[in-house]
Amino acid sequence: MPSHQPAAGMMAVDPDFVKQPSPMAKTTEPNRNKNYDPKKPHITDMPITKKNWYKHVNWLNVYFILGIPVMGMVAAVWTPLYLKTFVWAFIYYFATGLGITAGYHRLWAHTSYSATLPLKIFLAAVGGGAVEGSIRWWSRDHRAHHRYTDTDKDPYSVRKGLLYSHLGWMVMKQNPKRIGRTDISDLNDDPVVVWQHRNYIKVVLAMGLIFPTLVAGLGWGDWLGGFVYAGILRIFVVQQATFCVNSLAHWLGEQPFDDRNSPRDHMITAFATLGEGYHNFHHEFPSDYRNAIVWYQYDPTKWSIWVWKQLGLAYDLKQFRSNEIEKGRVQQLQKKLDQKRATLDWGTPLEQLPVMEWDDYIEQAKNGRGLIAVAGVVHDVTDFIKDHPGGKAMIKAGIGKDATAMFNGGVYYHSNAAHNLLSTMRVGVIRGGCEVEIWKKAHADNKEGKIVKDEFGNRIVRAGAQVTKVIEPTASAGAA
């Protein structure tokens, strides 16, 4: 759409933009299922019963995600694990994990940086070795996840259950029409993405199983160990680690930037996912090439991208301005403070207090009611007299009088806690009570001046800013 506002006589929408090609997949590209018919009722539209439950299961994914790893675990019983094979399996686990986190996720799904052709080819290859779908398929679902987080259009919404967001969305069939639409035109124009998508099965076999087996076999003669540990079991581990981003990162941890949706930050998830565990930050600032913004937070994916930049393999690394990041953090802190503040007793709001005549105030005090006036606000301290830290006599001396000076330093300069406690004893306002009545009138006229309110509309009282705290003027020399 045009970047400027339409002027008089102009069309609201640029017709050239409308004529642009669809961002969806080209007809020449393979679909997930060639037999897919959008007009035919999908199995997910039918309830699961004892007779049709097996039709709801994606048996191909069950075989690849659960079946093959079980076979690998069984084979591991009689396959010795040599140190070299273990080290190689860990190194390749890290490389294929980066293929997902630095490649599929941060490069292609979020375009948080740009990569040269050699780096793209490397990430597409090792990413395929993680066996988590093609770049195009993975990024398309992930963009839908960000755009429709926690809704029915989110392909792996944690609102459907922790197990569903971790595995269920893959082992159970999904209706393609229910997944939110996203723009993947940039992916369709990337030759590396298109090539990998068209040759995905070949990439999986070559990089997922054959390559790690060849390294262990040709390197130190451990063909079977390379196949079982660096191949099958390594795939299982890297898959489960990545799946934690969809499940654990939406369930465990804190929400320092926004709590309207489920993403959370936690160090444990970061260790399990090569740095993707600071997920609350990521959902707020998805185009930032970092997940962890503090130096001591674990994010090897960020460090890898930075190193690639130094080597000339990556460029245009995107970062949100620290000012915007800190604004989000402060707003969330304020929101939590407001929620905590709402649970506390701050006394009757000033605007809800009845106005009392001075003579009426004195009359009620003479008739045995323990009333004291501080800065024009009347407080009933009857039940507090026996608990007054300064003794009964001292507080009784202020009953029926203007105790403003007494409370603010004339007798004792009361603490912030004392002013807070006193606010819970408010019962009225003296007519002509200076600041208080003027404040009440301004409030009624919607001219609140410097009054600050939280998100619930309640007045925020800062420490030392209670209405009963009257600052004494600084003493000065007398006139000459």
Side-chain angles (χ1 to χ4, degrees):
M1 297 184 71
S3 60
H4 59 276
Q5 292 295 323
M10 292 178 61
M11 296 182 67
V13 178
D14 188 341
D16 291 333
F17 177 83
V18 179
K19 294 177 182 178
Q20 287 183 3
S22 169
M24 303 307 290
K26 298 177 182 177
T27 55
T28 56
E29 294 189 39
N31 295 315
R32 293 187 217 176
N33 186 349
K34 295 181 179 180
N35 298 321
Y36 173 66
D37 181 2
K39 296 181 180 179
K40 182 181 178 180
H42 198 269
I43 184 64
T44 56
D45 294 327
M46 306 173 189
I48 299 177
T49 65
K50 292 182 179 179
K51 293 183 179 181
N52 73 356
W53 67 269
Y54 64 92
K55 295 182 180 180
H56 286 263
V57 179
N58 188 326
W59 292 107
L60 182 63
N61 282 357
V62 169
Y63 176 74
F64 281 115
I65 297 173
L66 299 176
I68 292 180
V70 169
M71 297 179 197
M73 292 176 188
V74 173
V77 174
W78 64 77
T79 304
L81 176 59
Y82 299 106
L83 179 60
K84 290 182 179 180
T85 303
F86 174 78
V87 172
W88 163 235
F90 178 80
I91 292 173
Y92 200 50
Y93 152 78
F94 202 89
T96 52
L98 282 178
I100 299 297
T101 60
Y104 280 38
H105 189 206
R106 303 192 197 185
L107 174 61
W108 281 295
H110 294 297
T111 62
S112 62
Y113 69 100
S114 298
T116 58
L117 182 60
L119 180 57
K120 279 187 175 183
I121 294 173
F122 168 75
L123 291 174
V126 293
V131 194
E132 296 184 19
S134 69
I135 298 167
R136 181 177 172 277
W137 175 84
W138 196 101
S139 299
R140 181 250 179 270
D141 274 8
H142 191 72
R143 289 181 182 182
H145 166 66
H146 270 261
R147 187 176 184 182
Y148 305 101
T149 305
D150 297 340
T151 70
D152 288 338
K153 293 184 178 182
D154 181 348
Y156 27 85
S157 172
V158 76
R159 303 296 186 199
K160 297 178 182 178
L162 187 65
L163 184 59
Y164 178 87
S165 63
H166 190 79
L167 275 176
W169 70 280
M170 285 176 291
V171 299
M172 301 299 290
K173 291 181 180 177
Q174 286 201 66
N175 189 339
K177 292 185 289 186
R178 292 183 182 175
I179 300 175
R181 297 186 62 183
T182 58
D183 180 3
I184 57 170
S185 56
D186 59 317
L187 301 179
N188 293 335
D189 292 335
D190 189 323
V192 174
V193 174
V194 172
W195 183 89
Q196 195 232 36
H197 186 74
R198 288 176 173 170
N199 299 276
Y200 179 65
I201 300 300
K202 297 177 183 177
V203 174
V204 165
L205 292 174
M207 299 303 297
L209 296 172
I210 297 175
F211 177 69
T213 303
L214 284 175
V215 171
L218 296 176
W220 50 93
D222 189 12
W223 295 91
L224 183 59
F227 180 75
V228 172
Y229 294 109
I232 295 176
L233 295 184
R234 186 267 317 161
I235 290 174
F236 175 73
V237 173
V238 76
Q239 284 180 343
Q240 297 306 310
T242 305
F243 298 163
C244 285
V245 180
N246 302 332
S247 56
L248 200 62
H250 286 260
W251 178 73
L252 176 67
E254 301 178 342
Q255 297 176 299
F257 297 97
D258 193 3
D259 62 0
R260 291 176 299 172
N261 292 318
S262 60
R264 298 170 182 273
D265 288 0
H266 202 282
M267 180 179 64
I268 290 178
T269 314
F271 275 110
T273 60
L274 299 187
E276 304 280 26
Y278 302 100
H279 214 49
N280 192 253
F281 171 86
H282 172 63
H283 268 256
E284 281 295 290
F285 312 102
S287 63
D288 197 309
Y289 86 97
R290 307 163 300 171
N291 258 209
I293 56 175
V294 183
W295 67 269
Y296 56 80
Q297 292 176 321
Y298 182 75
D299 187 1
T301 301
K302 172 191 69 177
W303 301 332
S304 298
I305 296 171
W306 183 86
V307 169
W308 294 334
K309 179 187 177 183
Q310 309 312 307
L311 297 175
L313 296 172
Y315 57 96
D316 191 23
L317 276 58
K318 297 176 184 176
Q319 289 184 222
F320 262 83
R321 290 191 300 160
S322 59
N323 181 71
E324 305 310 306
I325 294 173
E326 289 309 308
K327 282 198 297 189
R329 194 195 304 274
V330 168
Q331 287 172 329
Q332 181 63 13
L333 286 172
Q334 188 63 59
K335 184 176 183 179
K336 291 180 179 179
L337 283 174
D338 291 345
Q339 293 171 346
K340 180 66 176 178
R341 183 185 290 109
T343 66
L344 304 176
D345 178 12
W346 296 91
T348 304
L350 291 173
E351 64 271 18
Q352 296 179 18
L353 293 174
V355 177
M356 300 175 63
E357 301 292 341
W358 180 257
D359 292 340
D360 183 36
Y361 160 68
I362 295 176
E363 184 66 25
Q364 290 191 41
K366 287 182 179 180
N367 290 333
R369 193 176 181 191
L371 301 180
I372 63 171
V374 178
V377 182
V378 179
H379 307 82
D380 189 342
V381 297
T382 304
D383 296 331
F384 183 69
I385 293 176
K386 64 181 184 302
D387 299 321
H388 185 237
K392 297 180 182 179
M394 194 65 67
I395 194 170
K396 284 182 177 180
I399 293 177
K401 301 176 182 178
D402 184 352
T404 304
M406 180 187 299
F407 198 76
N408 284 283
V411 174
Y412 177 70
Y413 197 74
H414 284 74
S415 66
N416 182 66
H419 284 277
N420 283 337
L421 179 61
L422 188 66
S423 69
T424 65
M425 305 177 191
R426 298 171 183 159
V427 293
V429 177
I430 299 295
R431 185 177 299 283
C434 301
E435 302 92 342
V436 178
E437 193 172 35
I438 293 172
W439 184 89
K440 282 173 61 65
K441 186 177 186 305
H443 183 83
D445 296 338
N446 292 322
K447 299 177 181 178
E448 299 183 22
K450 297 181 180 180
I451 301 304
V452 181
K453 293 189 175 183
D454 62 21
E455 64 172 327
F456 301 107
N458 300 318
R459 186 186 187 209
I460 296 177
V461 180
R462 308 293 185 194
Q466 298 89 341
V467 69
T468 52
K469 188 172 183 64
V470 179
I471 305 300
E472 295 292 331
T474 304
S476 60

